[in-house]
Amino acid sequence: MGDAFKQAIDTLFSDPRLGWDAVYISEGSDPREVRVFWHRPDDVIGFADTRLHTTTAIFDVRITEVAAPQAGDTLVIQGETFVIQGTPKRDDGRLIWTCEARS
């Protein structure tokens, strides 16, 4: 991806109506301030013959701020702590990590 696309992503993350301030903490590293997109969509999970309705927490973070997020790392946002679960995924442009988390 070109510089124009990277600049557009940086502008979106910096927008106070879209991006959120957070603290990223990974094991063995100092906590660092990052900007994230924070999504909390509802999800329906099937378990046997039952369907459970739950709220998920999904965070997008720029690769320039977090090079290699891992399950077990934490994000603190608005006083709430979230633990990354599963394997974070990169976007096609390799500019953003998408991390699923639990509180």
Side-chain angles (χ1 to χ4, degrees), residues 61 63 67 69 87-99:
V61 62
I63 289 175
T87 302
K89 297 174 181 69
R90 291 184 293 181
D91 71 322
D92 291 340
R94 302 300 193 241
L95 297 173
I96 299 170
W97 286 108
T98 299
C99 307

Side-chain angles (χ1 to χ4, degrees), residues 3 7 11 14 26-28 31-32 35 40 43-44 48 52 56 68 73-74 79 87 91 94 96 101-103:
D3 284 340
Q7 289 174 349
T11 299
S14 298
S26 59
E27 189 173 326
R32 70 191 106 147
R35 293 284 291 175
R40 295 195 83 172
D43 199 5
V44 177
L52 304 171
T56 59
D73 291 353
T74 58
T87 302
D91 71 322
R94 302 300 193 241
I96 299 170
R102 60 181 163 72
S103 56

Side-chain angles (χ1 to χ4, degrees), residues 1-94:
M1 291 284 155
D3 284 340
F5 191 70
K6 182 186 176 309
Q7 289 174 349
I9 293 295
D10 289 342
T11 299
L12 289 171
F13 271 84
S14 298
D15 187 316
R17 295 171 301 249
L18 298 174
W20 295 80
D21 291 324
V23 176
Y24 189 87
I25 305 165
S26 59
E27 189 173 326
S29 296
D30 292 331
R32 70 191 106 147
E33 293 184 16
V34 297
R35 293 284 291 175
V36 299
F37 286 162
W38 184 17
H39 317 274
R40 295 195 83 172
D42 290 341
D43 199 5
V44 177
I45 300 170
F47 180 73
D49 292 332
T50 304
R51 294 175 54 87
L52 304 171
H53 184 264
T54 184
T55 301
T56 59
I58 299 172
F59 295 94
D60 293 332
V61 62
R62 290 176 287 187
I63 289 175
T64 57
E65 292 187 309
V66 179
Q70 297 181 23
D73 291 353
T74 58
L75 276 163
V76 180
I77 183 168
Q78 291 190 330
E80 191 171 355
T81 301
F82 296 89
V83 178
I84 295 175
Q85 57 187 18
T87 302
K89 297 174 181 69
R90 291 184 293 181
D91 71 322
D92 291 340
R94 302 300 193 241

